[in-house]
């Protein structure tokens, strides 16, 4: 069991994650979007979304520091164990709670605002379950290590060495097996999240537009530079009032109105309605 | 000097009757899909009125376009790049659906399915967003023809501004008021703020013709462009999560056809043609300190296609000769720069918009006629333009950043043209002092009249075809295409059965055939299909070669139309 979870699953996860991202990037540029629902509702989004996103950014930084930097290094710089934990837990708790509250607001909004709920796919729902589970499990590890019984071995002696050992292809299964159940649960859910990541809307994180800071404002592009309509096209336009929009009502079927129309470049005429539920 | 070509449009507002045909045909062509129900790439607003989306001109609120910072340099109204990235998780001032309107349909099925009863069944309005019953409270042209102006007229941002700045308030008593229609499409700006706002760099301007497009593959739905565009002419497709905008019907323009809105315009008020401009000077012109000088600065960017130096520079930029020829015959250049009667919409946004408007003289003419004056005589008209401050101030807020002298000048030209032409039409002696009073010669004024009043299809739309011979061949013949996904075949089924694999792209061929069909007398040519017939393009005229398998005698002329073929003519 340990071998499966801590020795094999991580590599499966990496393979699916990286392979999936590459596949999606090559074949589903059109589906690669945030699918923002701000048009439907923006009052709750204005609070929830920044709370969640900034929270999770801090959490990511925390993970990187906690997992990558060995205990000896911080000790060498003069950061004592207690100071490190105070910082990590303080910052981690604040960021974790912000993330949880943020995602809570977003899920509440998604459930209660009619149009937003209608625009929510099965894919989204699955993703939310895994995401929230990962956040809760993660926050639980933090809370337990603050208020729970004091343990001699912390994650810096168990999870982190295991994590670093993965990169040299010699997984330290023993170290991870000694971690507490909360950490193990969080790790497994986290891996699950990364497994489904490439196939959900979460992919937008990988096209975070940092290059915006450096590009010129006005962009010229030649028509010949890139045949506008011959790029890989996956999704189709759907006609107004199609079945998935009028889910539980009488549906006259796509009918003659469902003729795909031409869209903007790169999304030219589609022969077939190809919109599946969420990502494909 | 870096000469670039820009496809531009001029709309003569005097001719707009507000029939919305342009909007409807545009919607049928481009935005009749789920996710774009509320989207009108082309819309017609009644002014004074709030417009679509409501009060989009209130940039204090929506923060669209550019402004000058303390050092006199251009910056987006939404702030610095970093600030925009930090607010990316929830775009601060994006219009909500209710600022446009909630699209709806009617439950027509009830009319057919309702059980027999005493009451007539009713088709209730259903929201296209939630699918629930809805109450229709607004639409893209809810205040059409000043509907509700007595209650909501003051909500027009331009009215607000004019009221603030002038002592005499705009009255919404109908006998005193004025009204005109303002059709709006994307401005295809020279200095587009939507493009500058786009974090992904998905919005681009085509080098060849200046059309501003959204790359649907690169757009990631960050929504910054919607805030960035001061005209609110970029829309968010809430189904695909991507931004969409007016394409100036680029597939039609590429084969020399006018845009759908122009083609179907009942009043024939739209003109399409090329501008040549100096791309190196755009930023400088857009940074002109005084807002009221922006019109002149924009006009100075437009280059004279007859100037030998411009011609030489255009050669260096590989602008083809037929494009130069089209630029010389361009009606939009003539109206904007030669006659100087077309004005840009809201130059104060500093985006250098490329859809120009000839301000309407008709509110003034109508008023004079109603009061029993001679609405055709130069003296009366000139006097009225001076006296009727409110329409002039309103127009100035729209077209010249508040410079009433400019608007007055244009209106005087239009008034002079009316008076001068009346003498010609009635075979009276021409009064050359009339054109002279607005700084034009009689001959020029007559030319302007020809262009404004009786220009034919070919004169209104001077559209050079695109030079994509190579790309065209590739697409049409279905050869393998070189791109990062590797070669693929057009028209063949993929490995997983019918229509699997990559779908065929929108074919240039379709638009070529459309043009052939519209301009040719006989059935559309099918040469390029190597003996096969594209049934989608077949207009029912006769039996083109390849429609049926050959009979016994191969020399029988199969492409002879079955009868007279009127369908091919317009």
């Amino acid at each position: 069991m340990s071998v499966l979870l801590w020795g094999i699953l991580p590599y499966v996860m990496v393979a699916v994650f990286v392979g999936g991202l590459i596949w999606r990037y090559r074949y589903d540029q059109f589906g690669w979007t945030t699918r923002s629902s701000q048009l439907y509702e923006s009052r709750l989004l204005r609070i929830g979304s920044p709370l969640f996103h900034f929270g999770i950014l801090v959490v990511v930084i925390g993970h990187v520091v906690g997992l990558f930097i060995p205990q000896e290094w911080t000790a060498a710089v003069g950061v004592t164990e207690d100071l490190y934990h105070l910082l990590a837990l303080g910052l981690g708790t604040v960021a974790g709670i912000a993330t949880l509250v943020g995602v809570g607001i977003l899920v509440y909004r998604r459930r209660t605002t009619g149009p937003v709920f209608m625009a929510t796919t099965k894919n989204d729902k699955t993703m939310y379950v895994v995401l929230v589970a990962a956040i809760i499990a993660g926050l639980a590890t933090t809370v337990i290590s603050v208020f729970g019984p004091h343990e001699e071995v912390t994650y810096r002696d168990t999870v982190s060495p295991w994590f670093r050992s993965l990169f040299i292809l010699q997984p330290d299964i023993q170290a991870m097996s000694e971690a507490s159940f909360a950490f193990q649960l969080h790790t497994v859910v986290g891996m699950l999240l990364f497994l489904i990541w490439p196939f959900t809307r979460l992919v937008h994180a990988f096209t975070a537009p940092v290059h915006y800071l450096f590009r010129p404002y006005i962009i010229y592009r030649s028509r010949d530079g890139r045949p506008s309509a011959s790029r890989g096209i996956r999704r189709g336009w759907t006609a107004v009032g199609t079945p998935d929009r009028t889910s539980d009502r009488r549906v006259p079927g796509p009918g003659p109105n469902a003729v795909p129309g031409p869209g903007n470049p790169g999304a030219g005429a589609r022969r077939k309605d190809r919109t599946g539920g969420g990502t494909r | 000097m870096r000469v670039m070509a820009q496809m531009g449009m001029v709309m003569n507002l005097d001719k707009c009757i507000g029939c919305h045909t342009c909007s409807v045909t545009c919607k049928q062509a481009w935005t009749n899909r789920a996710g774009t129900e509320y989207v009108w790439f082309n819309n017609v607003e009644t002014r004074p009125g709030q417009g679509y989306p409501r009060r989009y001109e209130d940039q204090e609120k929506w923060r669209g376009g550019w402004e000058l910072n303390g050092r006199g340099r251009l910056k987006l109204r939404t702030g610095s790049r970093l600030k925009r990235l930090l607010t990316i998780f929830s775009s601060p001032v994006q219009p909500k659906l209710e600022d446009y309107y909630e699209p709806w349909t009617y439950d027509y099925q009830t009319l057919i399915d309702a059980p027999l009863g005493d009451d007539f069944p009713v088709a209730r309005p259903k929201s296209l967003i939630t699918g629930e019953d809805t109450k229709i409270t607004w639409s893209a042209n809810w205040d059409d023809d000043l509907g509700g102006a007595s209650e909501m007229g003051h909500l027009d941002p331009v009215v607000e501004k004019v009221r603030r700045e002038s002592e005499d308030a705009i009255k919404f008593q109908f006998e005193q008021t004025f009204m005109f229609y303002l059709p709006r499409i994307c401005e295809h700006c020279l200095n587009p703020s939507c493009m500058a706002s786009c974090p992904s760099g998905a919005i681009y301007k085509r080098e060849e013709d200046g059309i501003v497009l959204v790359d649907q593959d690169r757009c990631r739905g960050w929504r910054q462009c919607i805030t960035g565009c001061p005209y609110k002419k970029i829309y968010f497709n809430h189904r695909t999560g991507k931004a969409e905008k007016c394409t100036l019907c680029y597939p039609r323009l590429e084969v020399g056809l006018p845009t759908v809105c122009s083609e179907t315009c009942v009043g024939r008020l739209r003109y399409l043609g090329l501008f040549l401009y100096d791309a190196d000077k755009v930023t400088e012109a857009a940074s002109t300190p005084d807002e009221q000088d922006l019109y002149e600065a924009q006009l100075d960017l437009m280059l004279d296609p007859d100037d030998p130096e411009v011609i030489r520079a255009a050669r260096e930029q590989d602008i083809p000769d037929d494009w130069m020829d089209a630029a010389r015959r361009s009606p939009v250049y003539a109206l904007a720069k030669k006659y100087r009667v077309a004005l840009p919409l809201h130059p104060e946004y500093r985006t250098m918009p490329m859809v120009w408007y000839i301000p309407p003289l008709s509110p003034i003419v109508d008023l004079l006629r109603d009061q029993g004056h001679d609405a055709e005589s130069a003296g009366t008209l000139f006097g009225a333009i001076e006296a009727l401050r409110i329409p002039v101030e309103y127009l100035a807020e729209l077209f010249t950043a508040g410079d009433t002298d400019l608007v007055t000048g244009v209106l005087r030209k239009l008034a002079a043209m009316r008076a001068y032409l009346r003498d010609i039409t009635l075979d009276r002696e021409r009064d050359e002092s009339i054109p002279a009073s607005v700084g034009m010669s009689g001959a020029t004024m007559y030319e302007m009249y020809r262009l404004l009043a009786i220009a034919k299809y070919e004169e209104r739309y001077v559209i050079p075809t695109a030079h994509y011979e190579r790309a065209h061949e590739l697409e049409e013949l279905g050869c393998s295409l070189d791109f990062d996904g590797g070669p693929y075949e057009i028209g063949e089924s993929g490995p997983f059965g019918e229509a699997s694999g990559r779908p065929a792209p929108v074919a240039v061929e379709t638009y070529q055939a459309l043009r052939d069909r519209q301009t040719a007398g006989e059935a559309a040519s099918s040469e390029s299909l190597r003996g096969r017939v594209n049934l989608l393009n077949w207009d029912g005229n006769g039996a083109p070669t390849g429609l049926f398998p050959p009979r016994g005698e191969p020399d029988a002329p199969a492409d002879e139309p079955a009868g007279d073929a009127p369908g091919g003519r317009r």
Side-chain angles (χ1 to χ4, degrees), chain B residues 305-331:
Chain B
D306 287 315
D307 183 342
E309 201 172 314
V310 173
I311 295 173
R312 186 155 16 88
R315 283 245 166 80
E316 279 167 22
Q317 298 292 324
D318 289 331
I319 294 180
D321 282 349
D322 59 331
W323 280 57
M324 289 303 289
D325 179 51
R328 267 172 229 124
R329 292 183 290 120
S330 167

Side-chain angles (χ1 to χ4, degrees), chain B residues 59-198:
Chain B
Q59 303 309 339
E60 295 298 313
K61 176 167 188 204
W62 300 117
R63 319 209 67 73
W66 305 85
E67 60 187 2
L68 293 184
N69 65 11
R71 286 171 297 147
R73 303 206 20 209
L74 276 181
K75 81 182 222 315
L76 287 171
R77 243 176 211 279
T78 40
S80 68
R81 294 178 196 236
L82 193 63
K83 189 179 165 201
R84 265 193 303 287
L85 281 195
L86 288 178
T87 54
I88 205 167
F89 301 130
S90 143
S91 198
V93 281
Q94 182 190 332
K96 289 196 287 284
L97 201 58
E98 57 253 43
D99 293 309
Y100 300 92
Y101 67 100
E102 185 166 354
W104 71 90
T105 181
Y106 293 95
D107 186 10
Y108 295 111
Q109 198 72 31
T110 312
L111 299 182
I112 301 163
D113 287 356
L116 189 63
D118 292 338
D119 304 319
F120 266 104
V122 178
R124 283 166 185 264
K126 298 273 181 191
S127 165
L128 277 171
I129 300 298
T130 61
E132 306 293 318
D133 281 342
T134 187
K135 189 166 179 286
I136 304 165
T137 53
W138 198 259
S139 80
N141 61 336
W142 200 250
D143 51 0
D144 212 13
D145 288 344
L146 293 182
S150 53
E151 279 167 36
M152 298 181 296
H154 61 282
L155 292 173
D156 178 343
V158 180
V159 170
E160 269 180 8
K161 191 150 186 233
V162 173
R163 274 193 180 162
R164 222 180 304 138
E165 286 170 8
S166 65
E167 295 300 311
D168 41 353
I170 295 187
K171 289 266 180 354
F172 282 100
Q173 297 163 353
F174 286 100
E175 62 275 18
Q176 284 178 27
T177 198
F178 71 105
M179 167 188 110
F180 61 96
Y181 301 102
L182 183 71
R184 294 200 304 126
I185 62 170
C186 166
E187 302 282 339
H188 296 278
C189 306
L190 297 186
N191 188 34
S193 53
C194 58
M195 189 183 292
S197 311
C198 176

Side-chain angles (χ1 to χ4, degrees), chain A residues 56-121:
Chain A
I56 202 108
L57 282 177
V58 174
V59 167
V60 167
I61 294 169
H63 276 74
V64 169
V65 173
L67 291 175
F68 274 103
I69 300 178
Q71 206 161 349
E72 300 83 46
W73 292 19
T74 44
V77 196
V79 181
T80 64
E81 186 66 17
D82 287 342
L83 181 64
Y84 177 87
H85 273 271
L86 193 69
L87 274 176
L89 293 178
L91 210 59
T93 312
V94 170
I97 289 175
T99 313
L100 190 65
V101 171
V103 82
I105 293 175
L106 292 179
V107 170
Y108 169 79
R109 163 181 182 271
R110 202 156 267 282
R111 186 63 195 85
T112 53
T113 315
V116 187
F117 188 54
M118 287 197 64
T120 309
T121 62

Side-chain angles (χ1 to χ4, degrees), chain B residues 399-414:
Chain B
F399 299 118
T400 59
D403 185 347
T404 48
D405 291 346
L406 267 174
V407 170
T408 310
V410 173
L411 293 179
R412 282 171 66 98
K413 274 181 196 164
L414 298 175

Side-chain angles (χ1 to χ4, degrees), chain B residues 287-560:
Chain B
S287 321
T288 307
D290 187 350
E291 284 182 349
Q292 299 195 343
D293 294 336
L294 279 162
Y295 163 69
E296 276 308 326
Q298 180 165 338
L299 218 50
D300 286 344
L301 284 178
M302 303 299 132
L303 300 172
D304 179 3
D306 287 315
D307 183 342
E309 201 172 314
V310 173
I311 295 173
R312 186 155 16 88
R315 283 245 166 80
E316 279 167 22
Q317 298 292 324
D318 289 331
I319 294 180
D321 282 349
D322 59 331
W323 280 57
M324 289 303 289
D325 179 51
R328 267 172 229 124
R329 292 183 290 120
S330 167
V332 295
Y333 178 80
L335 291 169
K337 185 132 185 190
K338 226 183 270 174
Y339 310 135
R340 297 171 73 103
V341 289
L343 302 169
L345 181 64
H346 288 301
E348 71 272 21
Y349 298 160
R350 299 179 183 274
T351 61
M352 304 273 129
M354 280 297 120
V355 174
W356 306 60
Y357 293 89
I358 302 177
L361 184 67
S362 39
I364 293 163
V365 175
D366 291 347
L367 204 65
L368 285 179
R369 193 183 296 125
D370 292 347
Q371 291 173 353
H373 295 291
D374 177 5
E376 307 289 329
S377 98
T380 330
L381 273 171
F382 285 177
I385 292 168
E386 303 296 330
L388 291 171
R389 299 303 304 164
I390 287 174
V392 170
E393 275 172 28
Y394 190 93
L395 291 172
E397 287 299 336
L398 278 186
F399 299 118
T400 59
D403 185 347
T404 48
D405 291 346
L406 267 174
V407 170
T408 310
V410 173
L411 293 179
R412 282 171 66 98
K413 274 181 196 164
L414 298 175
M417 188 181 80
R418 280 181 90 93
Y420 183 64
L421 259 296
R422 174 162 72 165
D423 289 343
I424 295 178
T425 316
L426 297 180
D427 251 350
R428 294 203 292 231
E429 198 175 332
R430 295 182 186 196
D431 183 354
E432 296 297 339
S433 74
I434 297 177
S437 70
V438 292
M440 291 173 101
S441 74
T444 321
M445 183 152 277
Y446 193 77
E447 265 175 42
M448 180 169 90
Y449 154 74
R450 296 238 0 143
L451 188 55
L452 286 179
I454 46 184
K456 298 294 180 205
Y457 194 85
E458 288 76 17
E459 294 161 70
R460 277 180 285 132
Y461 312 128
V462 181
I463 304 162
T465 51
H467 286 266
Y468 52 95
E469 285 88 359
R470 202 181 122 265
H472 171 213
E473 275 169 21
L474 285 172
E475 275 193 296
E476 188 150 341
L477 295 179
C479 295
S480 60
L481 278 168
D482 252 356
F483 63 102
D484 52 13
Y488 69 95
E489 299 272 307
I490 289 178
E492 302 235 329
S493 283
F496 309 115
E498 176 68 25
S500 69
R502 293 177 181 235
V506 57
V508 175
E509 161 212 316
T510 315
Y511 288 93
Q512 292 278 14
L514 176 64
R515 188 191 51 182
D516 286 352
R517 200 170 70 210
Q518 289 195 351
T519 52
E522 66 271 359
S525 148
S526 59
E527 265 174 48
S528 55
L529 291 169
R530 290 180 292 185
R532 287 172 294 139
V533 172
N534 184 346
L535 280 178
L536 284 176
N537 291 331
W538 183 48
D539 57 359
N541 271 338
T545 325
L547 185 60
F548 299 110
R551 283 206 206 123
E553 316 101 278
D555 52 345
D559 58 342
E560 201 68 59

Side-chain angles (χ1 to χ4, degrees), chain A residues 38 40 49 212 215 222 232 238 274, chain B residues 34 81 89 91 196 198 238 499:
Chain A
Q38 186 169 4
Y40 302 132
S49 179
Y212 177 57
R215 76 165 172 83
S222 178
T238 37
R274 281 161 172 271
Chain B
R81 294 178 196 236
F89 301 130
S91 198
C198 176
H238 58 88

Side-chain angles (χ1 to χ4, degrees), chain B residues 175-334:
Chain B
E175 62 275 18
Q176 284 178 27
T177 198
F178 71 105
M179 167 188 110
F180 61 96
Y181 301 102
L182 183 71
R184 294 200 304 126
I185 62 170
C186 166
E187 302 282 339
H188 296 278
C189 306
L190 297 186
N191 188 34
S193 53
C194 58
M195 189 183 292
S197 311
C198 176
S200 312
I203 304 178
Y204 62 99
K205 197 168 179 64
R206 298 215 299 190
E207 269 171 28
E208 291 84 357
D209 49 18
I211 297 177
V212 177
L213 295 172
V214 183
D215 185 335
Q216 294 285 292
D217 274 356
R218 282 208 198 171
C219 173
R220 305 283 178 235
W222 302 119
R223 320 178 295 293
Q224 302 292 314
C225 54
I226 300 164
T227 305
C229 174
Y231 302 95
K232 292 291 169 279
K233 275 294 173 190
I234 289 213
Y235 302 90
F236 188 72
N237 180 327
H238 58 88
R239 288 299 298 284
T240 62
K242 308 257 168 172
E244 289 188 28
K245 65 181 290 300
C246 157
T247 63
L248 207 63
C249 291
Y250 73 95
R252 290 174 61 94
L253 290 187
E254 284 176 9
V255 297
L257 290 170
T259 64
V260 169
C261 54
S262 308
E263 171 89 53
T264 57
C265 177
V266 175
R268 302 183 177 185
L269 58 96
R270 300 196 187 217
Y271 297 81
L272 276 167
L274 281 184
F275 286 111
L276 298 179
Y277 70 101
D278 186 351
D280 287 336
K281 295 229 174 80
V282 172
T283 309
E284 192 188 317
S287 321
T288 307
D290 187 350
E291 284 182 349
Q292 299 195 343
D293 294 336
L294 279 162
Y295 163 69
E296 276 308 326
Q298 180 165 338
L299 218 50
D300 286 344
L301 284 178
M302 303 299 132
L303 300 172
D304 179 3
D306 287 315
D307 183 342
E309 201 172 314
V310 173
I311 295 173
R312 186 155 16 88
R315 283 245 166 80
E316 279 167 22
Q317 298 292 324
D318 289 331
I319 294 180
D321 282 349
D322 59 331
W323 280 57
M324 289 303 289
D325 179 51
R328 267 172 229 124
R329 292 183 290 120
S330 167
V332 295
Y333 178 80

